[in-house]
Amino acid sequence: MRKLVLALLFAMILVSGVTFAITVDDFLPPVQGGSAELTETASLTRSTDDEVIANELQDGFNYATKLIWEEQLGDGFRAVVFPSGTGYIAGATSNYSVYENINATLIAKRSAYMTAYYLAKGYLAQGLNGYFTRKKEALESSLVSLDDSEKNIGGFYEYQFEKVEQVVEAMLRGYVTYEVRDMAGETSGKVYVSIVISPKTLAAVNQLSDGIVSAADLETSLQFILNDIEAGVVPPVGGKVIYVPETGAMAIVAFGSAISRHSTNEVLSNEYRKAAIEAARMRATQSLVDILNGDKNIWKSGFEEKTLRAEFENMDEVIAMADEMRSARSNTTAETMSSEFLNLFSRDKNYESVSSGLVPPGTMIKVALDKSVEQNGYGWVFAIAVYYPELELPMQQIVDALEGKPVAIEEPVQNESTDGNGGPSENPQGPSGPVSSDDKY
């Protein structure tokens, strides 16, 4: 029954074979955002260089991102104070070149989205550190929020905070992507990515590492991950582990991407599309197998580094940036969870197929196409594979890892998996727009 419920849940979220013209309404993310238009401009007052006062958090975020874009050229941080709390937003930009080969342009643009995404995380961390250092009241309020297990998923882990840096590290686990923009030019372009933390995001999602998402429920996490895939801020190949601490439920979400090449010949264009779908599926399933085999690098980073370096150019800088930004504690947590998972999963009836390089029975694989594939005949093809292992990780081990305590782990069964093997000069518009729903906070 549990498998049936989870299968129906995923089928509702992503329908196989549909064009990837996905609206934000299709995948309600934790941010619970609203219109990008300011509805109460008069209620907004800029009080300091890094703070906005607003009657509505949505308006505050919209005004703050406008300030970041216009006054800081798209790179910066703002705190948004509203009657029932405080939200935080950071944005960053990254440039890319347009090449005669459309594939090279698409990969360069994807790299730019990811670069801007990681830069925004850096601005968010810097901004929170500075803000909390000056604002004792805001720091104390954040501590209360983080320790409230009724309101915050982070409360499950009973954090103990002593320094501003520890508070910032904990809060950064509760960010979500807010908006992406692509300013596509003829010879070059620039992308913008903003991310936010709000009371609702803190209550909905906890990113223990770049490859592990802890949440109050599976649906919230799935929606969060799928939004980031559509927004282009996740790597072309990789995966995420979802963990629900209250129930112990888990889900493994793996994804792969490939470019459907351009051709004016309709028959050849269709062949390119089929090849891209097959490549994306192969990459997604291989990532899934690697995660299930306890690949610590994916559990830490959320991407399949070997394939990323081999198949996609211009990604080395992104990989290095992501590695540098991860904290030692998040890496330790990921290592602990991957080892604990493999220790348990190696005894599962489906592990034999996984250790042989095959996806386990019950894996759901869906394919989606960037709208550019339908409109222009070329663009990204995405494949997403989801598997729900029937096991529960021991909670205390994860808590100890998060708190920096030494963790004794039983050595898992070691098995080797098999590896999967597997135009024009226009600059098509990349993902742009809110990465949030039209519902109010």
Side-chain angles (χ1 to χ4, degrees), residues 50-97:
D50 61 359
E51 190 175 82
V52 166
I53 310 297
N55 287 340
E56 297 285 344
L57 181 55
Q58 182 66 56
D59 277 339
F61 276 150
N62 289 337
Y63 186 65
T65 198
K66 180 173 180 289
L67 291 176
I68 292 171
W69 183 255
E70 294 179 354
E71 299 185 7
Q72 297 176 273
L73 302 180
D75 298 277
F77 164 87
R78 287 291 192 282
V80 178
V81 180
F82 67 110
S84 58
T86 305
Y88 310 92
I89 182 169
T93 60
S94 181
N95 299 310
Y96 63 90
S97 298

Side-chain angles (χ1 to χ4, degrees), residues 107 237 282-283 305-313 315 421-422:
I107 292 174
V237 58
M282 179 189 70
R283 289 166 177 162
E305 184 172 333
K306 182 170 57 177
T307 305
L308 200 59
R309 290 186 186 276
E311 303 291 339
F312 300 96
E313 298 178 359
M315 292 292 179
N421 298 311

